[in-house]
Amino acid sequence: MDIEARLEYIIFENKANHYVVAGFSELKTYHTFTAAGRIEDPIEDQEYVLEGEYVKHPKYGEQFRVDMAKKKLPSHADAIIHFLCGENFPTIGKKTAESIYETLGENCLEKIHDNPKLLHEVPNLSAKKILIIQKGIQEFTGFNEAYAKLLKYGLSPRQIQMLLDTYDNVLDVIEEDCFRPYYEVYGFGYKTACKMAQAIGISNDDPRRLDAYIYELARQLSMATGNTYITFATMFQNVRGVDETTIQESIDRLVSMQYLYVENMRIYPFTLYEDEVTIAKELKKHLFNVEQIDVEDKIKQVEFSLAITYDQEQKDAIQLFFDRSFMILTGGPGTGKTTTVKGILEIAKDMFPDANIQLCAPTGRASKRLAQLSNCDSRTIHSLLQWNLDDNSFGKNEEEPLDVDFIIVDEFSMVDTHLFAQLLKALPNHCRILLIGDEDQLESVGPGKVLQDLIQSDTIDTVHLKKIFRQSNGSGIVTLAKEIREETPCHYEDGVEFVERTTPKIMDALIDYVKDMDLDSMQILAPMYKGAAGIDEINRQMQVLFNPKSPQKNQIKVGTTIFRENDKVMLLKNLPDDDVFNGDIGTIVEIDTKQNVISVDFTNTIVDFSTDFLYYLKHAWCISVHKSQGNEYQTVFCIVDVNAKNMLEKRLLYTAISRAKKKLYIIGNKSLFETQVKLKQKRMRQTTLQERITSLKVEKTENKIDKI
């Protein structure tokens, strides 16, 4: 049903999703009614063509449900003249407007919209004014028509806005190739493109469908495996029902459009290929000779001021930092990385008082911990690079570089190929770099094994700290970490307790141990989400234990999860505008059940999560080992469940136990634990970064001296 009506007044408007409730009056009958639905930028007194039907609302009675709303062009003399004299038509005066109406008659605007050539019939109308009128009518109707049509294709308001922000002629783009936004618009997914293709009527055997599928497969396989490329054999194995020649033709098309890159029978998502090349090239810029400075006396001063004594390998590491433009410092827990970095910072600030020293890390918590070492600024890498969530772009890059002289990156094992490429591009050529990480920890969530490739390239000077210094409470934790790293028999003492339990008994033991503990100082880690001892079930039980249902606490259900005031939650998405990031943990301080808003205190800031963002939260009494990277906790409970055997391997267990500072409880199957800590990764990540660095034959140039 179509109704021509005037919008009289707005009752309610949600600007986020364009949902509007408004009072309308029919143009022909003057019948007044309430309409509800998505209307882009509603304007009072504007005439609309409403497509939809009358429905009975259970609370508000009869309403017109708006499926599509289209602004109506004026059709009568006075309205047309007034419209053409408006701000959308500069230089078009009343006389010109009247001439257009007199020549083309009623509904002349609709006529012009359908056939712009009619404007040439208007006497004394210049080519310039013709273009102004065409553009004004197109801008008035075009956005509206595009929005309406895209809604019919099954797109959400958010997805439509993404397309409208990206393309000036969005309908032309879609009609030419509805899969194009999938390749070019960040956040516009493969499933959405397929849904749109179905709505448009793209046949199942259309080559564009296969191209999109091949590209999605390459991306997904890279994310799932951590590889920066896949082989042709892997591609052929995963694309069933299509012959190899047709697959090859599809890959060739994607390569020609620069969505994929093929090199030595390896297939790369183009961005990952670019990232590897960028890292190798940028490394060359940052390897240069610096003025040699003996800091032995400075080290003694730091030892005196901090009341510490450096081991010789720590002294060598500090000296090397001042002898090189680029250095890696690696070592396990308790090997003195933090103490060594303290010395580097103290000496650097003393020797280069005017230098800009920047600290950063992949996670918020790691960044804050790093900031405690000195008075230097410390941020997440995303924040430092001014990352834009909407389009996955970075404000700081080769054109707008960072103003830094020294940069120190902690927890570098978590940094993936793409992020490191963006960081290097944003650093000025004179900037000196220190990367800190534990090469035995889990690799980054995103593709690549950057730390390992940098070390194995034998291009970057690397210091491996091996001696354990931590002898206070919890020294058994660093000892166990060392035993796992070196694959020697495991011992559970001095802060480490192994609680042997079968899977059905793990939960009982866990509850018994944690019930009297301080929530802020402890963290439960588990390898998998499902099962009787999985993350989801542990969180359900912990909520009952630590934050039971109460009339004094508001709660809200999101999917199958019940969130309650005082719940411990984790953020699952980067929100740079709010200065909170994926993996940050906070406490729910308030739930507005009327507006469906959850307020979470992340210590440094309180963030409100409305309906569209509630799925970014997850309970966090128990989290995955991957999510714990970059964080440390006073007490850690590590779950070793036989049902998670396939996920338990050396790197994961090593990472889990090294999160504990003072007390570590391992609950589960001891024999499984001692078997799995010797189990190396079944599949090593496939990357070509190491060989790219090596192939460039990166050499330290002798003519570049650091002038800081």
Side-chain angles (χ1 to χ4, degrees):
M1 173 188 291
D2 289 352
I3 296 178
E4 294 185 358
R6 176 180 286 105
L7 198 161
E8 300 292 350
Y9 54 90
I10 298 169
I11 302 170
F12 171 80
E13 179 184 3
N14 185 332
K15 293 185 181 295
N17 61 11
H18 309 297
Y19 183 80
V20 174
V21 181
F24 284 83
S25 62
E26 284 196 61
L27 297 183
K28 294 180 181 178
T29 66
Y30 303 106
H31 167 68
T32 59
F33 62 96
T34 301
R38 290 189 176 95
I39 303 175
E40 181 71 24
D41 296 329
I43 303 170
E44 292 182 353
D45 291 328
Q46 173 64 50
E47 295 180 358
Y48 288 86
V49 177
L50 303 178
E51 183 180 312
E53 62 179 341
Y54 281 102
V55 296
K56 187 123 182 174
H57 192 279
K59 185 175 180 180
Y60 300 110
E62 189 177 68
Q63 290 184 345
F64 188 85
R65 188 196 69 225
V66 179
D67 296 328
M68 186 169 60
K70 180 181 174 181
K71 284 189 283 188
K72 189 176 182 296
L73 284 164
S75 58
H76 301 292
D78 290 343
I80 290 171
I81 293 166
H82 179 76
F83 178 71
L84 288 172
C85 293
E87 60 184 17
N88 291 332
F89 301 89
T91 75
I92 305 300
K94 187 175 180 182
K95 286 185 178 181
T96 303
E98 288 174 344
S99 178
I100 293 171
Y101 179 77
E102 288 170 3
T103 304
L104 300 177
E106 289 192 356
N107 297 312
C108 62
L109 298 179
E110 292 280 0
K111 294 174 184 176
I112 296 168
H113 174 260
D114 296 335
N115 184 14
K117 290 181 181 179
L118 289 174
L119 285 169
H120 293 285
E121 298 177 10
V122 180
N124 303 317
L125 195 61
S126 67
K128 185 178 179 181
K129 287 187 176 182
I130 288 175
L131 287 174
I132 290 171
I133 294 166
Q134 284 182 262
K135 184 182 178 186
I137 293 175
Q138 286 171 357
E139 286 180 350
F140 179 82
T141 61
F143 181 86
N144 198 33
E145 289 178 351
Y147 194 91
K149 200 162 187 177
L150 292 170
L151 271 177
K152 282 191 170 183
Y153 292 156
L155 303 185
S156 70
R158 176 180 161 277
Q159 292 164 336
I160 293 171
Q161 196 62 54
M162 289 163 60
L163 297 183
L164 293 169
D165 290 342
T166 305
Y167 304 111
D168 292 331
N169 54 340
V170 62
L171 291 181
D172 292 342
V173 170
I174 298 302
E175 287 169 9
E176 181 183 345
D177 183 3
C178 66
F179 287 99
R180 184 176 160 188
Y182 162 59
Y183 303 117
E184 299 178 351
V185 181
Y186 177 72
F188 196 91
Y190 171 71
K191 290 183 178 177
T192 301
C194 287
K195 183 170 71 174
M196 190 163 59
Q198 188 71 30
I200 293 172
I202 303 293
S203 65
N204 290 334
D205 60 356
D206 191 298
R208 292 171 296 182
R209 282 186 178 273
L210 179 62
D211 294 351
Y213 177 74
I214 295 287
Y215 180 72
E216 176 69 5
L217 185 62
R219 286 181 63 254
Q220 291 300 330
L221 286 173
S222 292
M223 290 302 301
T225 60
N227 302 335
T228 57
Y229 69 88
I230 60 173
T231 63
F232 274 89
T234 302
M235 181 66 76
F236 295 149
Q237 288 169 5
N238 282 273
V239 183
R240 303 186 185 270
V242 183
D243 63 86
E244 292 186 6
T245 302
T246 304
I247 296 172
Q248 181 67 65
E249 290 171 351
S250 177
I251 292 171
D252 290 343
R253 287 192 296 271
L254 289 164
V255 169
S256 70
M257 294 184 288
Q258 292 195 331
Y259 299 139
L260 294 181
Y261 188 87
V262 174
E263 181 184 69
N264 298 329
M265 299 303 292
R266 299 163 177 155
I267 305 169
Y268 300 78
F270 194 83
T271 52
L272 288 176
Y273 163 75
E274 278 193 317
D275 289 335
E276 284 196 347
V277 171
T278 295
I279 291 171
K281 287 182 177 178
E282 292 294 328
L283 278 180
K284 191 173 183 178
K285 298 177 185 177
H286 290 282
L287 290 173
F288 51 86
N289 286 346
V290 301
E291 185 178 351
Q292 302 292 302
I293 304 172
D294 188 346
V295 295
E296 184 179 353
D297 290 340
K298 297 290 183 182
I299 292 173
K300 290 178 180 177
Q301 292 174 20
V302 171
E303 288 179 316
F304 179 78
S305 63
L306 299 179
I308 58 173
T309 302
Y310 283 117
D311 182 80
Q312 188 58 48
E313 66 178 6
Q314 292 176 299
K315 291 179 181 178
D316 292 343
I318 295 172
Q319 180 64 61
L320 188 65
F321 173 83
F322 293 97
D323 290 344
R324 299 289 186 268
S325 63
F326 200 144
M327 171 184 156
I328 296 172
L329 180 65
T330 182
T335 55
K337 294 193 301 292
T338 299
T339 309
T340 303
V341 174
K342 276 186 179 179
I344 288 172
L345 283 169
E346 290 297 318
I347 296 171
K349 286 191 293 183
D350 180 55
M351 296 187 64
F352 305 103
D354 298 326
N356 190 348
I357 303 173
Q358 180 66 60
L359 313 181
C360 62
T363 68
R365 287 200 173 190
S367 169
K368 291 169 189 172
R369 191 173 66 246
L370 193 58
Q372 294 170 357
L373 295 176
S374 70
N375 293 322
C376 297
D377 181 46
S378 182
R379 307 185 205 176
T380 65
I381 301 174
H382 282 88
S383 174
L384 180 66
L385 297 180
Q386 298 177 10
W387 178 62
N388 187 321
L389 173 66
D390 295 329
D391 61 3
N392 196 31
S393 64
F394 294 87
K396 292 295 180 180
N397 47 47
E398 56 268 66
E399 295 177 357
E400 291 288 336
L402 294 163
D403 180 19
V404 292
D405 302 308
F406 294 89
I407 191 164
I408 298 176
V409 188
D410 199 11
E411 296 289 348
F412 189 74
S413 63
M414 299 176 63
V415 177
D416 62 31
T417 304
H418 183 64
L419 187 57
F420 189 47
Q422 304 314 305
L423 178 61
L424 284 178
K425 285 197 295 185
L427 296 178
N429 291 345
H430 72 270
C431 182
R432 294 161 67 169
I433 301 169
L434 171 61
L435 307 178
I436 311 163
D438 186 346
E439 58 188 306
D440 293 309
Q441 282 191 31
L442 284 168
E443 295 146 330
S444 58
V445 175
K449 47 183 176 71
V450 182
L451 179 60
Q452 185 178 333
D453 283 342
L454 289 176
I455 293 172
Q456 292 180 351
S457 73
D458 203 26
T459 301
I460 313 298
D461 288 287
T462 303
V463 176
H464 301 261
L465 298 178
K466 296 183 177 69
K467 185 177 178 180
I468 293 176
F469 293 93
R470 195 187 296 175
Q471 298 298 328
S472 56
N473 293 338
S475 61
I477 299 167
V478 295
T479 301
L480 179 60
K482 184 173 184 289
E483 290 166 347
I484 293 173
R485 197 169 57 249
E486 298 176 353
E487 298 183 3
T488 57
C490 295
H491 295 85
Y492 313 101
E493 53 194 22
D494 297 330
V496 181
E497 182 176 346
F498 206 115
V499 184
E500 288 194 80
R501 294 290 190 277
T502 60
T503 297
K505 299 293 185 181
I506 287 176
M507 190 68 72
D508 292 339
L510 180 61
I511 291 172
D512 197 45
Y513 273 86
V514 305
K515 62 185 180 184
D516 297 321
M517 285 199 170
D518 177 16
L519 276 176
D520 294 332
S521 65
M522 71 96 169
Q523 184 62 61
I524 306 167
L525 305 179
M528 62 187 294
Y529 282 89
K530 304 302 179 185
I535 295 169
D536 291 340
E537 182 58 28
I538 292 173
N539 275 322
R540 279 192 286 270
Q541 296 286 347
M542 293 301 108
Q543 187 185 46
V544 173
L545 179 66
F546 290 113
N547 194 29
K549 186 176 181 180
S550 165
Q552 286 75 44
K553 301 174 191 171
N554 287 335
Q555 62 181 47
I556 187 173
K557 190 171 184 180
V558 182
T560 59
T561 303
I562 294 174
F563 290 109
R564 190 172 295 143
E565 289 174 347
N566 295 338
D567 275 353
K568 183 180 180 180
V569 293
M570 171 178 280
L571 180 62
L572 302 178
K573 192 174 183 70
N574 290 316
L575 298 176
D577 291 344
D578 295 306
D579 196 32
V580 289
F581 298 88
N582 189 346
D584 283 355
I585 291 176
T587 303
I588 296 176
V589 291
E590 185 180 0
I591 295 177
D592 186 336
T593 55
K594 292 183 179 178
Q595 299 293 327
N596 288 342
V597 173
I598 295 178
S599 301
V600 181
D601 185 355
F602 290 101
T603 306
N604 61 317
T605 183
I606 295 177
V607 181
D608 294 331
F609 294 86
S610 57
T611 305
D612 294 340
F613 294 88
L614 296 181
Y615 289 95
Y616 296 164
L617 297 175
K618 193 173 186 67
H619 283 131
W621 291 284
C622 181
I623 62 175
S624 70
V625 179
H626 284 86
K627 288 293 186 185
S628 74
Q629 278 188 277
N631 297 325
E632 288 184 336
Y633 313 95
Q634 295 296 315
T635 303
V636 166
F637 291 86
C638 178
I639 306 301
V640 181
D641 179 11
V642 292
N643 294 314
K645 181 179 178 180
N646 292 333
M647 301 181 68
L648 296 172
E649 49 85 28
K650 181 177 179 178
R651 281 182 182 270
L652 185 136
L653 290 168
Y654 173 85
T655 302
I657 68 162
S658 61
R659 300 305 90 203
K661 293 176 69 175
K662 293 198 174 172
K663 189 70 180 178
L664 170 67
Y665 297 91
I666 307 171
I667 305 179
N669 191 302
K670 183 185 281 189
S671 63
L672 175 66
F673 177 84
E674 295 184 345
T675 299
Q676 299 303 107
V677 292
K678 298 176 183 175
L679 183 67
K680 294 185 174 67
Q681 285 177 278
K682 295 177 183 177
R683 295 180 182 175
M684 294 300 295
R685 291 189 171 186
Q686 297 175 339
T687 72
T688 44
L689 178 59
Q690 182 185 337
E691 60 188 74
R692 291 192 197 284
I693 297 171
T694 305
S695 68
L696 281 178
K697 297 179 180 179
V698 181
E699 298 176 354
K700 303 177 179 113
T701 57
E702 297 189 2
N703 59 347
K704 291 180 77 174
I705 305 295
D706 185 28
K707 300 297 183 182
I708 298 174

